[in-house]
Amino acid sequence: MADAKLESKARALREEIRKHSYHYYVENAPVISDYEFDQLFNELVELEEKYPDLRTPDSPTQRVGTPPAEGFERIPHPVPILSLSNAYDEQEIYDWRERISKLDDRVAEADFVVEPKLDGLTVVLHYENGVFVRGATRGDGEVGEDITANLKTLRSLPLRIPLVETDLPVPDRLVVRGEAIIYLEDFYALNKALEEAGQRTYVNPRNTASGALRQLDPALTAERPIRLLCYAIVDGDGELPETQFATIEILQALGFPVPADIRLCSTLDEVINEYQRWVDRRGELQYEADGVVVKINDLELSDALGVVGKDPRGAIAYKFPAQVVTTSLNEIGLNVGRTGVITPYAILEPVEVGGVTVRQATLHNFDFIAEKDIREGDRVYIKRAGDVIPYVIGPVLEARSGDLEPYSMPDTCPACGEALEKIDAEVAVFCVNPGCPAQLVRNIEHFASRGAMDIEGLGIKVAELLVEQGLVADVADLYLLELDAVRSLEGFGEKRADNLIEAIDESRAQPLSRLLAALGIRNVGSTVASDLARHYKNLDQLMAASQEELEKIEGIGEVVAKGIFDWFHSPANLRLLEKMRAAGLWPQTQYADSDVPQTLESLTFVLTGTLPSMTRQEARTRIEMHGGRVTGSVSSKTDYVVAGRSPGSKASKASDLGVPVIDEGELEALIGGT
Ligand code: IVH
């Protein structure tokens, strides 16, 4: 029997765990690291195991996962959707094997599979006669939420299997388990777009994916770049694979996306090496992973080992070292974006997180600072995940000294000193001064960037110099730069100045779509810019277009059309346009009337990897010249993916969707009309 002291210890642990679960699951704002959380949890598990009478029915150890939320139908799982126990070091992995060896002799000879532990939302996918019929969240492991409609919006989810022809028999009924995640690259792009639009940014990919999949409106889910990776067959008819490794192979053959680089290890030393290899590559992963999962390969043996609570004995999560640390927030810095949006960031006392020295971290937006009551001088928790920019989780309240003032939002622009404005319902504040030098620098940087006018040698540093020295007050001024003035800039010799002037000069030959993408019109990226350049020969025609006319263009909706129309009717932009015309920057569309054969008409392409003889931008122009369209992401509407060396995930997504992947030579053949 436990005494009163132990009883109060257990009560305190339960309270502590409940509080942190709330921060984590409900507020999406953990206060302690996962590692510290697991420590608390394990302490309680051990205590309860030793003194079972301390275990209360409402103890957090008695529930794993979140019960299904209101608003979704409930789907009972065909078998319990189990969780995993954790190991934090090599010893714990050896201990695990030791424990299970005692239960079954076969463990001594067993192989292991090492997989990434994906940090996303578990989903359970039901297929009947090869058709995706139902999908659920994990819920409490017994019953999940029916998120079928939301899952159908995921492009990587096969709606029908097999996706590609295979000799494999497809079970009449198959239930697959996977993880819904957001790739870091997509997460970055999403947050950047939200930030520029002055909207609230997301804290991490997992919360974004989980939030989006639990929206009651599937259209909202569809707006988020969620992907799927599958790793288990939960249930099914007929003959099912006997090993974990074969499961992955079969899932892949049926058309399910599976994690790359899963390995089979025959000894535990190999497993440890494999873990180390993942740790070393952690910064290069496309997605967030918080460890690896080590699984007994023989599924029958794994099953026979049984479960402890909700954790199977046949698998264990081997977690990566914690990447949450605390440091001092010396100052809150302010960044002025291209659209004038002001974003706060943390200037930190340098600190090492996961082998990298961190000096700055994201603070998201001013509402975040207010909600968390983050103050200059606070000690703060910092998290670094994969190679995502580190972010501040919140203040260490226990460490706060009494004299820190709450942070007050700036009311003037840190660059130009003009009053800031809050626009409509957007959470961000903006500097609306069209002459703000910080915005101008960002505008020039964007204007000259690779996807836009592609002016070599004109990055943010040079843009800063040009603006500081008063040589450039808008992008048209770039085309009026005098060689002597550029030569006198700091760090510029004759050669460098000549090169810059030449590169600017050459950019006059860029087609209309490039200039349109370069101008920084809201929501006009390279795809919309090309759509516009397909309809209008030059800026004169575009300036004369009405909003209704713009809306009729495929791919352009009401909001985008209004943004374009407004841009071309603002007095400041009209002045800029006249200046551009006078400076000889008045490009024509690349979409020829008739002399270039339009062999790629109505075909949509996606480019990925390094092509042998041209840059991707050159390939884009070439495709567009011949009537084709180039978009940034692969979907069922894509006709071809053109892949070069080291293609990214786009090539694998293409094969998932059955979109043909071709090389540069095959592209040329299409252009040639064969
Ligand atoms: S296997 C019975 N494999 O991690 C097998 N889980 O902390 C149990 N997870 O709820 C799961 N990647 O959502 C497995 N490669 C992987 C995984 C994985 C991520 C998640 C899963 C689970 C959680 C446990």
Side-chain angles (χ1 to χ4, degrees):
M1 272 293 271
D3 59 16
K5 212 166 134 210
L6 287 172
E7 204 178 311
S8 92
K9 169 90 195 154
R11 197 179 319 119
L13 278 169
R14 284 198 300 266
E15 268 317 300
E16 190 74 4
I17 292 166
R18 258 184 224 124
K19 184 178 87 191
H20 288 299
S21 302
Y22 182 80
H23 290 317
Y24 188 94
Y25 290 110
V26 183
E27 298 187 319
N28 276 345
V31 172
I32 58 172
S33 64
D34 292 0
Y35 176 76
E36 288 162 305
F37 183 87
D38 286 342
Q39 300 276 76
L40 288 174
F41 198 88
N42 290 343
E43 202 181 330
L44 182 60
V45 170
E46 274 168 31
L47 197 62
E48 289 177 348
E49 260 166 26
K50 215 152 154 201
Y51 304 101
D53 57 315
L54 287 182
R55 193 175 286 147
T56 57
D58 67 345
S59 168
T61 60
Q62 302 307 296
R63 178 186 77 172
V64 182
T66 23
E70 298 273 321
F72 289 105
E73 296 287 320
R74 297 153 64 91
I75 296 190
H77 298 305
V79 295
I81 298 301
L82 299 172
S83 183
L84 285 170
S85 59
N86 293 326
Y88 293 96
D89 57 35
E90 212 174 302
Q91 190 54 49
E92 291 182 4
I93 291 293
Y94 280 100
D95 292 349
W96 165 64
R97 206 241 327 243
E98 178 79 22
R99 277 196 307 276
I100 57 177
S101 303
K102 288 187 188 137
L103 300 173
D104 198 310
D105 292 342
R106 289 176 291 170
V107 172
E109 297 298 317
D111 293 333
F112 303 92
V113 173
V114 178
E115 301 174 5
K117 184 171 183 298
L118 309 158
D119 203 6
L121 179 78
T122 298
V123 292
V124 180
L125 312 169
H126 296 243
Y127 289 80
E128 281 168 18
N129 302 314
V131 177
F132 173 66
V133 289
R134 240 177 350 272
T137 61
R138 176 163 181 269
D140 60 6
E142 305 287 334
V143 179
E145 298 147 323
D146 182 346
I147 54 164
T148 310
N150 292 347
L151 283 168
K152 281 188 175 166
T153 70
L154 268 57
R155 304 222 161 135
S156 54
L157 180 142
L159 293 176
R160 175 184 299 276
I161 49 168
L163 258 190
V164 280
E165 223 172 289
T166 160
D167 297 335
L168 283 175
V170 179
D172 291 344
R173 198 175 58 84
L174 186 71
V175 185
V176 170
R177 174 171 180 173
E179 204 81 0
I181 57 174
I182 293 183
Y183 276 19
L184 291 170
E185 173 192 16
D186 296 331
F187 178 71
Y188 270 146
L190 172 65
N191 262 357
K192 193 165 168 228
L194 291 171
E195 185 177 316
E196 289 203 338
Q199 288 171 26
R200 184 180 292 265
T201 52
Y202 285 101
V203 174
N204 64 38
R206 191 209 24 238
N207 291 348
T208 315
S210 152
L213 277 170
R214 293 164 79 194
Q215 290 288 343
L216 291 173
D217 177 3
L220 296 175
T221 314
E223 283 175 14
R224 298 290 173 246
I226 303 171
R227 297 172 196 252
L228 179 73
L229 288 175
C230 298
Y231 51 77
I233 294 177
V234 171
D235 197 13
D237 290 341
E239 247 178 71
L240 296 177
E242 289 172 2
T243 65
Q244 173 60 16
F245 203 72
T247 302
I248 298 289
E249 287 177 332
I250 287 169
L251 286 175
Q252 184 163 34
L254 291 176
F256 289 96
V258 298
D261 241 344
I262 289 183
R263 293 217 180 152
L264 188 61
C265 299
S266 52
T267 66
L268 219 48
D269 286 347
E270 272 178 51
V271 168
I272 307 286
N273 276 339
E274 190 50 21
Y275 166 79
Q276 199 49 53
R277 215 172 57 84
W278 281 99
V279 171
D280 294 343
R281 283 182 308 154
R282 187 177 181 186
E284 296 151 34
L285 293 179
Q286 286 177 299
Y287 46 75
E288 282 197 331
D290 54 349
V292 297
V293 186
V294 184
K295 300 177 177 175
I296 297 250
N297 190 34
D298 178 344
L299 294 175
E300 197 271 318
L301 169 57
S302 188
D303 247 14
L305 288 167
V307 295
V308 196
K310 303 254 182 180
D311 305 332
R313 287 200 183 85
I316 191 163
Y318 188 177
K319 302 276 277 231
F320 291 149
Q323 288 201 309
V324 174
V325 297
T326 65
T327 188
S328 299
L329 172 94
N330 291 337
E331 200 186 327
I332 294 180
L334 300 170
N335 182 47
V336 186
R338 180 158 61 83
T339 53
V341 62
I342 310 285
T343 36
Y345 63 95
I347 301 171
L348 304 167
E349 195 55 38
V351 61
E352 208 192 281
V353 200
V356 170
T357 305
V358 171
R359 294 187 165 79
Q360 290 188 355
T362 309
L363 280 166
H364 307 294
N365 53 52
F366 294 108
D367 284 3
F368 179 80
I369 299 179
E371 273 162 26
K372 300 275 154 147
D373 183 20
I374 296 167
R375 306 182 183 188
E376 287 180 318
D378 259 336
R379 194 156 191 89
V380 287
Y381 290 101
I382 304 297
K383 179 164 183 184
R384 194 175 84 90
D387 57 358
V388 182
I389 301 169
Y391 60 89
V392 174
I393 298 174
V396 184
L397 287 175
E398 303 78 54
R400 177 175 289 169
S401 64
D403 53 358
L404 297 185
E405 294 284 326
Y407 179 73
S408 54
M409 239 165 80
D411 41 28
T412 55
C413 171
C416 68
E418 291 278 312
L420 297 177
E421 280 183 21
K422 201 159 175 130
I423 299 178
D424 304 334
E426 293 174 344
V427 295
V429 284
F430 288 84
C431 168
V432 291
N433 171 14
C436 172
Q439 285 175 60
L440 179 57
V441 168
R442 301 267 170 195
N443 260 311
I444 295 173
E445 181 197 17
H446 173 75
F447 184 84
S449 65
R450 276 229 232 131
M453 296 300 273
D454 197 11
I455 304 175
E456 215 180 309
L458 182 47
I460 188 153
K461 286 272 168 323
V462 175
E464 267 166 9
L465 273 180
L466 293 171
V467 172
E468 263 169 34
Q469 296 304 312
L471 296 181
V472 172
D474 56 42
V475 291
D477 280 340
L478 290 171
Y479 295 85
L480 304 172
L481 276 174
E482 307 250 339
L483 196 56
D484 281 345
V486 178
R487 282 186 185 160
S488 67
L489 288 174
E490 200 189 314
F492 271 77
E494 230 167 80
K495 184 103 187 87
R496 192 171 172 202
D498 288 353
N499 287 345
L500 180 62
I501 295 283
E502 198 182 314
I504 293 174
D505 210 37
E506 277 174 6
S507 74
R508 280 182 227 262
Q510 293 285 16
L512 179 62
S513 66
R514 290 296 197 99
L515 178 68
L516 290 174
L519 288 173
I521 306 168
R522 246 195 212 195
N523 296 317
V524 179
S526 37
T527 303
V528 173
S530 296
D531 290 339
L532 288 171
R534 216 179 297 273
H535 282 78
Y536 302 100
K537 278 199 171 61
N538 52 39
L539 290 166
D540 291 299
Q541 290 191 359
L542 185 52
M543 287 162 76
S546 69
Q547 189 180 322
E548 293 70 42
E549 195 183 315
L550 290 165
E551 269 174 48
K552 290 203 188 101
I553 299 175
E554 201 199 318
I556 297 183
E558 195 185 321
V559 176
V560 180
K562 180 168 188 325
I564 298 167
F565 182 83
D566 288 350
W567 196 95
F568 280 97
H569 289 82
S570 113
N573 291 333
L574 288 175
R575 279 195 298 276
L576 173 69
L577 287 164
E578 282 320 310
K579 218 169 140 181
M580 280 167 34
R581 191 202 295 273
L585 183 64
W586 207 253
Q588 300 296 311
T589 185
Q590 65 266 50
Y591 301 104
D593 289 337
S594 62
D595 45 346
V596 180
Q598 300 294 290
T599 38
L600 306 182
E601 185 140 31
S602 74
L603 293 179
T604 300
F605 294 79
V606 170
L607 303 167
T608 178
T610 314
L611 300 175
S613 79
M614 49 184 156
T615 65
R616 283 211 291 273
Q617 285 306 336
E618 285 163 351
R620 171 191 271 272
T621 309
R622 226 174 129 54
I623 291 171
E624 290 175 345
M625 260 173 54
H626 291 88
R629 192 162 176 266
V630 177
T631 63
S633 58
V634 184
S635 75
S636 54
K637 287 187 185 153
T638 310
D639 293 294
Y640 294 97
V641 168
V642 184
R645 205 159 28 82
S646 329
S649 55
K650 288 171 185 169
S652 45
K653 189 161 174 193
S655 32
D656 290 345
L657 290 173
V659 173
V661 179
I662 61 172
D663 62 16
E664 190 186 307
E666 288 165 300
L667 171 64
E668 286 304 329
L670 283 176
I671 290 174
T674 49

